[in-house]
């Protein structure tokens, strides 16, 4: 039995700003743009991973969420405390330069981590943390 990642969700407060970032800055393709009851879900993904989707969704798109929960979610997003996703790259430094040149907001320049990756970090327009990691070679290789 195989279990693979199919979709993950990232809360965004401005779908158009999110599309501009994920498509134009990161280079992901837009696969779907669906509206329902005043909300909007946009699916993006890497052209090299056609079966893995990132769904950009409204914050707390749960019809059963209380007004207090909706306010809390909006406050956490405004503070940049929501997590996004971790992307893999084969060249962390080149990825950092490309995203920075395209207007991405860097949070961390590329650095080697003790857990075996070189990584950098950015925020998307909604404040979500996005990391880009490159595996480090094993010692002695």
């Amino acid at each position: 039995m195989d279990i693979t990642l199919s979709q993950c969700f990232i809360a965004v407060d401005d779908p158009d700003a999110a599309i501009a970032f994920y498509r134009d800055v990161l280079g992901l393709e837009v696969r779907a743009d669906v509206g329902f009851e005043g909300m909007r879900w946009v699916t993006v993904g890497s052209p090299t991973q056609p079966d893995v989707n990132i769904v950009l969704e409204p914050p707390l798109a749960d019809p059963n969420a209380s007004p207090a929960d909706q306010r809390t979610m909006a406050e956490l997003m405004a503070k940049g405390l929501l997590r996004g996703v971790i992307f893999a790259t084969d060249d962390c430094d080149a990825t950092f330069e490309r995203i920075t040149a395209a207007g991405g907001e860097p949070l961390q320049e590329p650095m080697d981590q003790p857990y075996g990756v070189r990584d950098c970090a950015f925020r998307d327009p909604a404040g979500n943390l996005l990391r880009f990691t490159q595996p480090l070679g094993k010692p002695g290789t």
Side-chain angles (χ1 to χ4, degrees), residues 13 59-60 68-80 82:
D13 54 358
L60 206 54
D69 289 343
Q70 292 173 352
R71 278 192 307 276
T72 298
M73 184 69 161
E75 290 169 2
L76 291 172
M77 178 177 280
K79 292 178 181 177
L82 299 181

Side-chain angles (χ1 to χ4, degrees), residues 34-84:
V34 178
F36 181 73
E37 294 188 357
M39 294 186 278
R40 188 170 166 199
W41 286 260
V42 179
T43 303
V44 297
S46 169
T48 61
Q49 287 186 302
D51 56 345
V52 178
N53 298 298
I54 299 170
V55 181
L56 308 172
E57 67 172 359
L60 206 54
D62 182 341
N64 299 315
S66 71
D69 289 343
Q70 292 173 352
R71 278 192 307 276
T72 298
M73 184 69 161
E75 290 169 2
L76 291 172
M77 178 177 280
K79 292 178 181 177
L81 294 176
L82 299 181
R83 296 290 180 177

Side-chain angles (χ1 to χ4, degrees), residues 24 28 48 88 97 116:
D24 303 337
L28 301 181
T48 61
E97 294 302 324

Side-chain angles (χ1 to χ4, degrees), residues 2 8 19 25 42-43 45 49 61-63 71-73 79 89 92 102 108-109 116 119-120 133-136:
D2 281 343
C8 64
I19 288 172
V25 175
V42 179
T43 303
Q49 287 186 302
D62 182 341
R71 278 192 307 276
T72 298
M73 184 69 161
K79 292 178 181 177
T89 178
C92 184
Q108 174 205 303
E109 293 189 13
D119 68 0
C120 61
T133 67
Q134 172 188 355
L136 291 173

